[in-house]
Amino acid sequence: MSTAPGFDLPDESDDVLDEYSRTVMRVAESVTPHVAAIEMTSERRNGRVRMGSGSAVVFTGDGYMLTNAHVVAGLRSGRAVFADGKHSDVELVGADRLSDLAIVRGLRSTPPPAILGNAETLRVGQLVIAVGNPLGLTGSVTAGVVSGLGRSIPVRAGAHTRVIEDVIQTDAALNPGNSGGALADTRGRIVGINTAVAGLGLGLAVPINTTTQRIIAALLKDGRVRRAYLGLVSTPIPLDASAVVRTGQKEALRVVEVIAGSPAERAGLEPGDLVLSAQGRAVSSAESLQKLLFADAIGEPFPLTVLREGKSLHVFAVPSEMSDAG
């Protein structure tokens, strides 16, 4: 009988694991320096009191950082601490509750910016890496896959309810404090801002895409996002075979409710109408309609094509400006 010690020989699974590990480590090393733990504070009689905390991602060379609106929670100032121990006071630039995005700016020197990617290129099953500060643990890294795309989170501002559109679902572990942190692809590009923990093994992130780039630009310019308001409640619905043939579309938006006194009511829209297009673009979800309702649509003719009792109609609404006030 041989008494020689036994050794595990490497196999293909080890090579795969090593490549996975190398990818996660590489992304962690490139992204972590750009992610801060932030604490938002408020002045009280007994001094400054911490009111909110989370993470933030530096995305410009002059110290602007992306985070979540619910992290800043209406507060104006706070402190950011980076993985290397350096810190900076921060001030609020702007926040948008209806996308759960906010921007703060570091008042002292900050690390160079992270590279923003494009979530529209993501695919289900793709590896993503989350970097944040869960439970106060600075520079924590978790990895997982994209579990789903096109999810939505209902949010409310005043009397208005919208959805955060095209949300990324991932199984990368997220905990309190991850909110506002980075979700990166395997090239270290920021494709999302982690926004919520929806349940065990379920994380959500606001995507970096064309719509959120518009929101970011508006926050940088004006500190807020101006949106147009139509005043209708709708739900996606598949079209029947004859309507598909006539319109070339498979889905439309069924108007469930028209708010009294709203631009939609003044335009003559009625419950039961099937909205096919807006501004000449096919719409089949609330998100696809919302993408058209930004500042440039306020006070301007907004053409809609609808099906009503089998007949195609063209109507023109004039959206008003949405207010956070109830």
Side-chain angles (χ1 to χ4, degrees):
M1 174 183 291
S2 171
T3 58
F7 295 95
D8 288 333
L9 297 176
D11 57 25
E12 291 183 2
S13 62
D14 292 326
D15 293 336
V16 171
L17 180 60
D18 287 346
E19 181 58 34
Y20 175 89
S21 299
R22 284 193 293 269
T23 299
V24 174
M25 289 187 293
R26 184 181 69 250
V27 173
E29 289 172 358
S30 71
V31 173
T32 298
H34 311 294
V35 180
I38 63 169
E39 293 184 352
M40 301 301 290
T41 56
S42 180
E43 194 70 47
R44 294 291 187 267
R45 291 180 180 178
N46 57 346
R48 298 197 71 80
V49 179
R50 187 180 81 168
M51 301 295 291
S53 62
S55 304
V57 183
V58 180
F59 74 102
T60 74
D62 47 356
Y64 288 92
M65 306 176 215
L66 274 172
T67 185
N68 287 146
H70 76 262
V71 169
V72 302
L75 301 167
R76 305 300 306 178
S77 61
R79 188 176 190 235
V81 180
F82 296 91
D84 62 3
K86 294 180 180 179
H87 59 84
S88 172
D89 290 336
V90 298
E91 64 180 7
L92 179 66
V93 174
D96 179 49
R97 285 187 290 167
L98 291 176
S99 65
D100 199 22
L101 288 175
I103 295 175
V104 297
R105 186 181 185 185
L107 301 180
R108 296 176 57 184
S109 177
T110 58
I115 299 172
L116 298 185
N118 182 4
E120 293 172 3
T121 66
L122 289 177
R123 299 180 64 182
V124 172
Q126 183 173 337
L127 175 64
V128 286
I129 296 91
V131 180
N133 304 281
L135 308 174
L137 303 174
T138 304
S140 293
V141 177
T142 58
V145 299
V146 175
S147 306
L149 295 167
R151 305 300 196 222
S152 61
I153 308 173
V155 291
R156 188 174 181 86
H160 304 296
T161 300
R162 286 168 68 97
V163 294
I164 304 174
E165 57 198 40
D166 297 331
V167 168
I168 303 164
Q169 177 188 334
T170 173
D171 66 354
L174 300 177
N175 294 288
N178 268 115
S179 287
L183 188 71
D185 64 14
T186 54
R187 295 176 62 181
R189 300 170 300 188
I190 312 305
V191 292
I193 300 297
N194 299 319
T195 189
V197 181
L200 184 62
L202 177 62
L204 301 173
V206 179
I208 301 298
N209 58 21
T210 302
T211 301
T212 51
Q213 288 280 14
R214 291 183 68 180
I215 291 169
I216 291 167
L219 290 176
L220 286 171
K221 181 176 182 289
D222 302 319
R224 67 188 184 101
V225 179
R226 297 179 67 216
R227 288 186 171 86
Y229 170 65
L230 274 180
L232 58 82
V233 179
S234 62
T235 186
I237 186 173
L239 296 175
D240 60 34
S242 62
V244 171
V245 172
R246 289 174 54 200
T247 65
Q249 293 181 215
K250 294 182 179 180
E251 295 179 307
L253 282 177
R254 181 177 182 272
V255 177
V256 177
E257 180 183 0
V258 178
I259 307 302
S262 68
E265 184 185 58
R266 291 192 291 272
L269 287 170
E270 300 176 359
D273 286 347
L274 302 180
V275 181
L276 299 171
S277 69
Q279 291 187 329
R281 303 180 188 181
V283 293
S284 58
S285 66
E287 294 86 355
S288 60
L289 182 57
Q290 284 180 190
K291 289 177 181 179
L292 304 175
L293 292 171
F294 279 91
D296 52 4
I298 297 170
E300 298 293 330
F302 192 83
L304 297 153
T305 301
V306 304
L307 277 181
R308 179 182 299 166
E309 298 178 351
K311 297 180 180 179
S312 180
L313 302 174
H314 299 284
V315 299
F316 288 84
V318 180
S320 57
E321 182 169 358
M322 179 181 287
S323 168
D324 283 356

